[in-house]
Amino acid sequence: MAIRATDQIIHKAAWLYYTHGLRQDEVAKQLGISRASVAMYLRKARDTGIVTISTSTQLFSQDVLAREVEDAFGLDTVWVVSPERDAPDAAAEVPVVAASVFLELVQRGQRIGVAWGRTVYSMADVMPFADLQDVTVVQLCGNLGAPYSYRPDQCTMEIARRLNAKGLNFYAPLVLSSERLAQELRDEPVIREQLASVADCALALYSIGTVDEDSHVVKCGAMSPSEVHALRDNGAAGVVAGQMIDRHGKLLDCDYNRRVISADLNSIRAIRRRMVVIQEDSKLEPLLAALAGGLCSHLVITAEMARRLLARAAKPSVRASA
């Protein structure tokens, strides 16, 4: 398992100071802490063995991977989950780590935007209970009628229940039958207000969907396999909050997106902390698209996905788009 979220700032301070060669005042500015705190964290890094001459890379290999992914893609924070002896499948541990990270990021009085999917619901299912009554959990996209536990409304309300927070559901379908109906619904005052308030969220939580027959939008009946394949042929690379994005992370110009009721991607980008959780290593291309589009600032992935991201980041075309 990756380093504890509460200790990660120690590793980040050491990484910036020893690997990037920043001065202590520069480290303090980048991390938003005092210079005295930086000095204390560097001392703890030496005392705990995070910084040594010969064993640092071996002891904290997954955390070095995390820092390298941060550097390669300009992310605020990355958590890398490695297989444990009693849990050889790292992917199975991703929701557990992500739930802990999420609770670290949530602060009192905030609005939290939540999308949907199996990974998000798995996080909610293992999330410890907290008492954050002044937090509001907001659904980022319209709902689906399919009887799945990972529907948008289910994900939102389960996370709100775990936080003892207020849950604000989106009482609209994810996909309408026509562009005209979708636009009329967006113009309704209640829906318009909720969409406009997304940018006021301090934290957003979502995963990135694939564009194939295993996609949530297919399994939940929003699209047929043939329709999603046609969109993929037309440039769709991933799904964010029910919307199709291209390989640059931009909203795909297509009839489907014009019929979707969901938070505008620019509103999502305006959220300071955009936490993306990827459980499946098969989601490399969708994740690269989201990273290219600035749709992620905080990322939880497996060690295998981290290595694949770094391999792709080494290619000039990927570095340019990222």
Side-chain angles (χ1 to χ4, degrees):
M1 185 178 294
I3 197 168
R4 290 181 302 166
T6 51
D7 292 339
Q8 191 174 59
I9 192 170
I10 300 175
H11 197 280
K12 287 175 71 68
W15 179 263
L16 293 171
Y17 184 76
Y18 290 103
T19 303
H20 284 275
L22 270 62
R23 302 189 309 269
Q24 289 190 17
D25 60 322
E26 293 173 326
V27 174
K29 182 177 180 181
Q30 183 154 335
L31 296 180
I33 57 179
S34 69
R35 190 180 182 281
S37 295
V38 171
M40 178 187 67
Y41 290 146
L42 293 177
R43 184 171 61 253
K44 284 186 177 180
R46 293 189 294 270
D47 292 345
T48 58
I50 289 177
V51 174
T52 69
I53 294 175
S54 59
T55 62
S56 169
T57 300
Q58 294 175 350
L59 287 173
F60 300 95
S61 58
Q62 70 269 40
D63 303 301
V64 171
L65 272 177
R67 303 293 84 74
E68 290 175 340
V69 173
E70 289 171 4
D71 290 347
F73 293 93
L75 301 175
D76 289 349
T77 309
V78 174
W79 290 264
V80 171
V81 183
S82 295
E84 295 288 329
R85 181 176 301 176
D86 57 348
D89 181 12
E93 292 296 296
V94 166
V96 178
V97 174
S100 176
V101 169
F102 178 76
L103 288 177
E104 290 280 342
L105 294 177
V106 176
Q107 298 178 11
R108 290 188 175 276
Q110 291 183 336
R111 289 171 66 91
I112 310 299
V114 173
W116 61 298
R118 285 184 296 244
T119 301
V120 173
Y121 193 81
S122 296
M123 278 181 59
D125 197 41
V126 298
M127 190 177 294
F129 287 91
D131 189 11
L132 299 173
Q133 298 179 37
D134 53 352
V135 167
T136 302
V137 183
V138 179
Q139 187 175 321
L140 289 177
C141 58
N143 207 22
L144 292 156
Y148 291 100
S149 60
Y150 53 84
R151 294 194 323 256
D153 60 333
Q154 292 288 86
C155 291
T156 300
M157 296 312 292
E158 183 59 23
I159 289 177
R161 189 175 75 88
R162 298 283 172 148
L163 300 180
N164 196 23
K166 177 184 177 182
L168 184 58
N169 278 140
F170 214 140
Y171 293 107
L174 176 65
V175 186
L176 276 294
S177 59
S178 72
E179 294 181 32
R180 179 184 61 80
L181 282 174
Q183 186 56 56
E184 289 177 351
L185 189 53
R186 292 189 202 101
D187 289 337
E188 284 293 318
V190 173
I191 302 300
R192 186 173 64 246
E193 181 180 347
Q194 188 162 346
L195 288 172
S197 69
V198 167
D200 296 330
C201 290
L203 170 65
L205 169 66
Y206 46 89
S207 188
I208 311 298
T210 56
V211 186
D212 54 30
E213 58 276 359
D214 194 46
S215 175
H216 295 333
V217 293
V218 173
K219 290 185 175 296
C220 291
M223 300 186 73
S224 68
S226 60
E227 288 173 328
V228 81
H229 287 156
L231 283 178
R232 185 176 62 189
D233 293 341
N234 195 38
V239 185
V240 175
Q243 301 168 94
M244 294 287 170
I245 59 172
D246 64 18
R247 67 186 183 89
H248 302 294
K250 297 180 179 179
L251 189 70
L252 190 70
D253 184 12
C254 62
D255 169 74
Y256 168 80
N257 277 340
R258 289 188 287 271
R259 293 186 289 111
V260 166
I261 305 296
S262 183
D264 180 77
L265 291 186
N266 287 331
S267 294
I268 293 177
R269 291 189 187 95
I271 299 172
R272 181 173 175 270
R273 292 178 170 178
R274 304 170 303 284
M275 179 178 171
V276 172
V277 183
I278 300 294
Q279 192 170 9
E280 303 93 332
D281 291 332
S282 60
K283 291 186 174 181
L284 177 63
E285 299 302 329
L287 176 56
L288 284 168
L291 292 171
L295 293 165
C296 174
S297 64
H298 294 63
L299 177 64
V300 182
I301 50 174
T302 64
E304 174 61 23
M305 179 64 86
R307 286 187 284 267
R308 295 176 70 193
L309 282 174
L310 290 173
R312 291 293 293 271
K315 298 180 180 180
S317 59
V318 174
R319 286 201 301 270
S321 62

